[in-house]
Amino acid sequence: MDRRHLLKRTGALAAGAALAGGISTVGQGAGSASAQDAEFDVWTTYTDPIRAELMETIGNAFGEANGVTFKHRGWQTEELGKTLPRSVDSDQGPDVSQVNNGEALAGPMARAGQILPLKEYDAEYDWSGRFAPSLLARCSYSSDGKTFGEGELWGLPAESEIVGFYYNKQFFSDNGLSVPATFAELETALKTLKSAGATPLVFGNLDKWTAIHLYGALQGTDTTREYLDGLIYRRGNADFTDTSIVAAAAKLVEWKDAGFLMDGFDGVSADDAQALFISGAGAIMMQGSWAAGAVRDGLGENGGFFLMPPVSSDVTVLHVGGVGIPYSITRNADDPDLAAKYIDTLVSEDSFARFVDAGQLPLGTIADDKIVPDTVTGDLYAGWNTALENDAIGHYLDWAAPQFYDVLTGALQELLGGQVTPEEFAGKLQDFYAASFA
Amino acid sequence: MQPRSPDLGTFGEGRAGVARPSPSRGSRAGSPWLPYLYLLPGLLVFTLFVVLPVIAAIAISLTAWNGISWDTATFVGIDNYLDAFRDDRFWTAFKHNIYLIPWYVILPIILGLAPAAFVHRMKLRGSRLFQAGIFLPYIMPGVLIGVVWRWMLNPVFGPINTTLKDWGFHPPTWLGDFTWALPTIGFIGAWAAYGFCYVVFVAGMQKIPTDLYDAARLDGANGWQEFRAVTLPGLRRELAVVLAVNLINAMRAFDVVKATTDGGPGDSTNVLALYMMNNLGGNRAGFAIAIAIMLAVITLAQSLIVLRLFGDSDD
């Protein structure tokens, strides 16, 4: 009797708990539907305090001006990529989210109707008129969501990225060097530093991806807009049989053999390499614009930046770079018009100024009053403006095909490890690229 | 209720005078459904969090799905499994898991057994502290272990290479070296696991009756002979446990690899779990889940073999 009574009570309790849990979840769903009228959710990949605060500042001001409660949530990029589609499918997604370009996420989500096309908002806010077409192309898909790099906008980024060389001015002045204006001068500088016993290039490729930038930067000295766009947007005849692919690989091996790359680079991570550079372990580090803040804080006046110099003055280098992760409107947005207005707020001059203050590159040109000469950020911003003006923002080569990142990074490690020749390296890339069209 | 006569009873072994529950009514003596009611909560949780996801995983593995929107999934039967069998990178990753077995399984057993036997024989004081310290790596998250060893093995500022260079050696870059990366990961795995083996063996040794040791000594056995004749057979069950657990860890190695080499350099440390995750991130969810199912089956088969070989035997 006692046992049965106890069982009954326990069972009732358990059932009650389950039911209550179910109700509260349903209630949450129903509640958030009505709360979403007043709540405006934005998901981004900003987990660091600087950029998270940036989002809060811009978002709270937007919320106040438009009578909504702004709520920001930061995710790791990979986690956002896995969570967002499922959240949108179960109507638990945000109004606006960063959605990784191309086939990584944007393409599949566009085709599945999980994000909204921005064509009419583009017409309303004239984004295509205000920002560089080559930048917006990488946020564009055809209206059926199948062809990348053309058609309509499906997302709009607020930031950009460009990769170049940070340098330690002390090393340069100690060795009588100035910022190289040509590729030949760069190689001379590297040789001089090596002969003086300094580490020319602080480089760490343990986590695989930094080689994409170094290799891409070398390839970018010998390429055209037409070829690179064709390769990345997968149109025309562009593929990895191009001579620039083998030539850049050979040059990379040449630099390694000449000792320009830091000793033991294959066992050093990118973060550790950056820390080593900032602590004065070497003269130059190739990294993206995202590292400017850290270099500025670490090296101070001793820090500088320059983009990959051209082989000659009549050739334009296509610099490794692109846009930050674009913002898209999900189909869960209660008020897509408001969502579009928010996105437009992110690309306003005011927001751009805030991004610059936080050490980020905005989508457009940077105002002159933000460019402090002879500082690392000043060098970066000036370089960015010039590259934008010359339509010289290239691509990240791992975008060429789905899952290409894995193949490219592995092949680069094999190239740098002497496991494959430059020709074999190019062959591996071409085999995978060609097969990805099947 | 009157107890039923054993002559009429049909349940279990017959023993006179023992009341048997009526099958038809939940009586005061206990309903036949009672045991199942006790099992129900656990069974519910197990069903929700294990059975249903496994069924869903098997279903997904039979589709070509990019992992984004389920509407786009198409049924492809066993194509994903066939693709895996035909995929060189799958076999390379599998080979690497097999290579890790001696490191993740045999080495920690040796490294755990030796000090355990020593401590047990010498009846050392302070062994509890030693035990806590030696067990610590086992409870560290794999990612943390990876990050710490990445720093230790850093070719530029890590203590291992700087010491070796000071002594005049030219050490490799370990995690960045095509030859050394996988053995290095194996070593890290052994380091993480031997504390667990030690603790299990120490506990096991304590339950071996001391008169067996006395008898062995009376027969003139030395330390090594005692170990072989008394200790090892007495640890049969513990050996089965550590073998099974470490085999599972070898097959599902992921955290340490991801946090150190991410499968590199090249493909030289790629393992099945990492390959699966990369395919999941590469929008090949169906294929990735098929790899996961195969990994689960392989791991289960290995565990069953170990338990069969070292199975129950009364001491």
Side-chain angles (χ1 to χ4, degrees):
Chain A
M1 175 83 114
D2 277 359
R3 217 187 321 166
R4 278 207 311 162
H5 216 120
L6 175 65
L7 215 58
K8 264 192 187 161
R9 259 191 264 143
T10 323
L13 233 105
L19 203 61
I23 283 173
S24 76
T25 318
V26 167
Q28 225 172 42
S32 69
S34 57
Q36 251 180 349
D37 291 345
E39 212 173 77
F40 188 80
D41 293 302
V42 174
W43 288 3
T44 71
T45 56
Y46 299 161
T47 48
D48 59 289
I50 295 174
R51 294 192 299 174
E53 201 193 314
L54 193 59
M55 291 309 294
E56 297 288 331
T57 311
I58 297 174
N60 286 337
F62 175 82
E64 267 178 47
N66 291 278
V68 289
T69 314
F70 175 83
K71 271 189 82 180
H72 168 249
R73 186 168 174 181
W75 300 77
Q76 295 295 322
T77 310
E78 243 184 89
E79 218 188 319
L80 180 60
K82 292 195 171 76
T83 313
L84 184 67
R86 259 159 289 292
S87 302
V88 171
D89 267 351
S90 42
D91 288 331
Q92 304 276 331
D95 296 78
V96 169
S97 177
Q98 280 190 302
V99 178
N100 219 344
N101 327 43
E103 283 305 296
L105 196 58
M109 284 190 80
R111 292 189 292 276
Q114 292 172 326
I115 54 176
L116 307 181
L118 300 181
K119 189 173 171 181
E120 45 173 89
Y121 299 117
D122 187 8
E124 183 182 339
Y125 294 105
D126 193 29
W127 293 323
S128 290
R130 286 156 62 190
F131 304 115
S134 65
L135 290 184
L136 295 187
R138 44 202 97 195
C139 316
S140 303
Y141 265 93
S142 51
S143 51
D144 58 4
K146 286 196 177 143
T147 312
F148 179 47
E150 61 186 48
E152 327 170 342
L153 272 184
W154 287 80
L156 190 69
E159 301 162 274
S160 309
E161 300 169 345
I162 196 167
V163 176
F165 296 103
Y166 293 92
Y167 71 102
N168 186 319
K169 290 178 182 171
Q170 191 62 55
F171 278 88
F172 271 48
S173 67
D174 285 350
N175 291 281
L177 298 169
S178 56
V179 173
T182 65
F183 189 76
E185 282 180 31
L186 173 61
E187 290 197 291
T188 305
L190 293 170
K191 273 190 202 114
T192 307
L193 289 159
K194 180 70 186 169
S195 312
T199 299
L201 213 57
V202 179
F203 178 66
N205 199 38
L206 181 62
D207 14 33
K208 298 167 132 180
W209 53 269
T210 42
I212 298 179
H213 298 163
L214 192 53
Y215 173 74
L218 291 169
Q219 193 272 340
T221 60
D222 180 28
T223 193
T224 63
R225 171 110 259 146
E226 192 194 340
Y227 168 76
L228 208 51
D229 282 354
L231 194 70
I232 299 302
Y233 300 137
R234 298 160 69 78
R235 58 183 181 227
N237 295 324
D239 62 21
F240 286 88
T241 58
D242 192 83
T243 51
S244 65
I245 300 295
V246 176
K251 180 56 74 177
L252 186 61
V253 173
E254 194 187 302
W255 279 20
K256 185 207 80 170
D257 291 341
F260 294 162
L261 307 183
M262 182 172 76
D263 223 11
F265 69 84
D266 46 357
V268 178
S269 68
D271 285 345
D272 288 342
Q274 184 169 304
L276 282 166
F277 171 74
I278 289 172
S279 70
I284 304 173
M285 174 184 72
M286 166 157 262
Q287 256 299 3
S289 44
W290 53 83
V295 174
R296 173 194 61 197
D297 294 342
L299 286 182
E301 282 171 5
N302 221 6
F305 178 87
F306 61 90
L307 289 173
M308 172 66 88
V311 291
S312 64
S313 52
D314 55 348
V315 175
T316 308
V317 178
L318 285 185
H319 304 286
V320 177
V323 295
I325 305 179
Y327 292 82
S328 296
I329 305 174
T330 77
R331 69 159 182 249
N332 292 167
D334 278 326
D335 187 349
D337 293 346
L338 188 66
K341 191 174 177 190
Y342 170 73
I343 292 176
D344 188 61
T345 307
L346 285 175
V347 297
S348 65
E349 288 303 316
D350 184 59
S351 294
F352 279 178
R354 289 183 198 274
F355 275 111
V356 169
D357 288 339
Q360 310 300 312
L361 274 189
L363 183 64
T365 315
I366 299 174
D368 283 338
D369 61 342
K370 293 282 179 196
I371 301 177
V372 180
D374 294 322
T375 60
V376 67
T377 44
D379 293 344
L380 172 65
Y381 299 157
W384 165 252
N385 282 353
T386 309
L388 201 53
E389 207 178 294
N390 297 334
D391 193 23
I393 318 293
H395 290 282
Y396 297 105
L397 284 172
D398 61 295
W399 282 32
Q403 291 192 290
F404 193 54
Y405 173 89
D406 219 7
V407 173
L408 178 61
T409 52
L412 280 167
Q413 282 182 316
E414 288 174 345
L415 179 72
L416 285 165
Q419 307 276 314
V420 295
T421 63
E423 291 74 16
E424 285 166 347
F425 164 81
K428 277 198 171 201
L429 302 188
Q430 175 55 20
D431 287 345
F432 187 87
Y433 186 69
S436 69
F437 283 93
Chain B
M1 293 284 295
Q2 294 295 321
R4 287 159 65 93
S5 153
D7 300 329
L8 301 175
T10 53
F11 306 110
E13 300 129 26
R15 252 197 283 170
V18 174
R20 241 169 287 285
S22 157
S24 52
R25 286 166 264 190
S27 72
R28 216 181 286 209
S31 143
W33 295 110
L34 198 62
Y36 298 102
L37 282 173
Y38 276 115
L39 284 175
L40 197 62
L43 213 55
L44 207 64
V45 172
F46 183 72
T47 305
L48 268 175
F49 291 101
V50 180
V51 176
L52 290 181
V54 168
I55 294 172
I58 294 172
I60 294 172
S61 74
L62 302 174
T63 66
W65 182 41
N66 63 9
I68 307 271
S69 180
W70 184 240
D71 299 335
T72 60
T74 52
F75 180 76
V76 292
I78 59 165
D79 275 0
N80 287 325
Y81 293 92
L82 295 176
D83 285 345
F85 280 121
R86 289 190 280 254
D87 186 348
D88 285 339
R89 293 188 75 200
F90 172 82
W91 290 111
T92 303
F94 182 54
K95 214 177 59 185
H96 293 156
N97 282 102
I98 301 295
Y99 177 92
L100 286 178
I101 288 177
W103 294 90
Y104 272 54
V105 181
I106 312 293
L107 189 56
I109 287 177
I110 297 170
L111 291 177
L113 200 51
F118 189 71
V119 162
H120 176 75
R121 185 171 167 75
M122 295 286 139
K123 299 193 187 347
L124 286 182
R125 278 181 210 271
S127 61
R128 282 275 158 84
L129 206 61
F130 183 60
Q131 200 160 305
I134 221 177
F135 191 64
L136 202 59
Y138 195 69
I139 57 172
M140 282 168 69
V143 172
L144 183 59
I145 292 173
V147 169
V148 165
W149 276 101
R150 212 177 61 195
W151 283 336
M152 299 269 283
L153 294 164
N154 187 299
V156 178
F157 58 70
I160 290 173
N161 273 27
T162 44
T163 307
L164 288 172
K165 281 183 203 166
D166 283 344
W167 291 345
F169 294 105
H170 298 288
T173 54
W174 306 113
L175 295 168
D177 187 286
F178 277 85
T179 311
W180 287 99
L182 194 59
T184 305
I185 288 192
F187 170 79
I188 295 171
W191 174 86
Y194 86 97
F196 164 71
C197 299
Y198 169 84
V199 163
V200 170
F201 290 141
V202 160
M205 284 173 193
Q206 279 164 4
K207 71 166 182 22
I208 298 173
T210 48
D211 30 331
L212 290 178
Y213 288 103
D214 295 337
R217 271 181 219 127
L218 277 173
D219 284 345
N222 61 24
W224 171 246
Q225 284 165 328
E226 265 180 45
F227 179 76
R228 265 188 53 204
V230 179
T231 312
L232 267 185
L235 288 177
R236 200 183 166 89
R237 285 207 186 127
E238 284 71 23
L239 270 167
V241 165
V242 299
L243 269 170
V245 168
N246 287 344
L247 256 176
I248 292 171
N249 286 338
M251 293 312 294
R252 67 178 195 124
F254 174 76
D255 309 17
V256 170
V257 180
K258 183 74 184 167
T260 52
T261 59
D262 199 12
D267 236 6
S268 62
T269 59
N270 202 7
V271 288
L272 283 174
L274 186 62
Y275 190 50
M276 175 201 74
M277 284 298 289
N278 285 338
N279 276 290
L280 204 60
N283 299 349
R284 288 181 76 191
F287 179 68
I289 306 284
I291 296 175
I293 303 279
M294 290 165 75
L295 184 56
V297 168
I298 294 168
T299 309
L300 186 63
Q302 284 177 335
S303 304
L304 288 173
I305 291 171
V306 164
L307 291 173
R308 176 60 73 93
L309 283 178
F310 286 79
D312 263 335
S313 77
D314 291 340
D315 297 334

